[in-house]
Amino acid sequence: MNNQFSRIYNFLGPACFVRCYVNKEHKCPPCNKYIEDMDVYYGDIKVENGIYLSTSLTIHAPNVVTRGLNPSRYYTLIMYDLNSTIGELVHWVIVNIDNMGGINGDTLAPYLFPKPPPGSGEHTYIFYLFSQYERYLGGPIIDPNNILSRAIPVSELVNRLDLSYDNLKSSVYFVSSFMA
């Protein structure tokens, strides 16, 4: 069992794992636990771990669909490039997402479409969904006119936003490379 399934299995217990996770019912009446999850789509292409997407498909912000969000929590969506030539590069940050469907929170870093430079090889773009301890009241975390302000290690970003890897609810990634 991989780490994500193991975490979910341990959280739900064997009685609810199939009902909540496998069957996607997301709220198990006996234990009243939620399975927070997300799907990311560029057009009609669903991002699956490791899928290759050409940069031409990722020019516009993706559609992010969440399921099973706990109605008493806020959430944060982070997208970053793990292999940027200037370090980990933040591509998108939205905080204070509620459970009303869709990604409807406050944008701290506007969407920056993937555009790997020539000769830089494959880049890994990761989406994280975290639950927040409380509503985020801080301001923007990057200067939209300065690409270098986006070069923030994700661990530092998680600290700045007062998040915790213990509250990582879902993640998915794709790869891309330079396209002439």
Side-chain angles (χ1 to χ4, degrees):
M1 195 177 296
N2 73 30
N3 284 346
Q4 182 181 9
F5 288 132
S6 180
R7 179 180 62 82
I8 292 168
Y9 182 85
N10 290 336
F11 174 72
L12 291 175
C16 298
F17 180 75
V18 171
R19 180 186 300 117
C20 292
Y21 189 75
V22 176
N23 294 339
K24 305 291 187 191
E25 292 175 15
H26 301 298
K27 186 177 179 190
C28 180
C31 63
N32 200 33
K33 292 181 181 175
Y34 289 83
I35 293 297
E36 293 109 343
D37 204 359
M38 73 174 167
D39 290 323
V40 178
Y41 294 89
Y42 282 99
D44 60 354
I45 299 173
K46 181 179 177 183
V47 175
E48 301 278 355
N49 283 333
I51 190 173
Y52 182 89
L53 295 177
S54 72
T55 55
S56 63
L57 295 173
T58 63
I59 291 172
H60 302 288
N63 181 29
V64 178
V65 179
T66 58
R67 294 182 305 283
L69 298 185
N70 184 329
S72 66
R73 302 295 297 261
Y74 288 105
Y75 294 83
T76 295
L77 175 72
I78 297 173
M79 175 190 176
Y80 74 99
D81 177 356
L82 183 62
N83 310 107
S84 166
T85 57
I86 58 173
E88 296 175 3
L89 189 70
V90 174
H91 277 260
W92 200 19
V93 178
I94 302 174
V95 297
N96 301 330
I97 299 166
D98 64 24
N99 66 331
M100 302 307 286
I103 299 300
N104 58 358
D106 302 317
T107 300
L108 297 186
Y111 181 75
L112 175 67
F113 70 91
K115 190 176 180 183
S120 63
E122 284 192 344
H123 289 238
T124 303
Y125 296 91
I126 302 173
F127 294 88
Y128 281 146
L129 181 67
F130 288 91
S131 66
Q132 298 171 208
Y133 292 111
E134 57 190 26
R135 184 172 180 81
Y136 179 78
L137 301 174
I141 56 164
I142 59 111
D143 174 354
N145 299 314
N146 180 356
I147 189 72
L148 294 178
S149 73
R150 290 177 176 261
I152 306 167
V154 73
S155 58
E156 182 181 326
L157 180 59
V158 165
N159 287 335
R160 281 190 197 179
L161 298 175
D162 195 27
L163 301 171
S164 165
Y165 284 105
D166 291 338
N167 290 335
L168 177 61
K169 300 305 179 182
S170 189
S171 66
V172 66
Y173 73 94
F174 70 93
V175 294
S176 193
S177 58
F178 173 76
M179 301 262 318

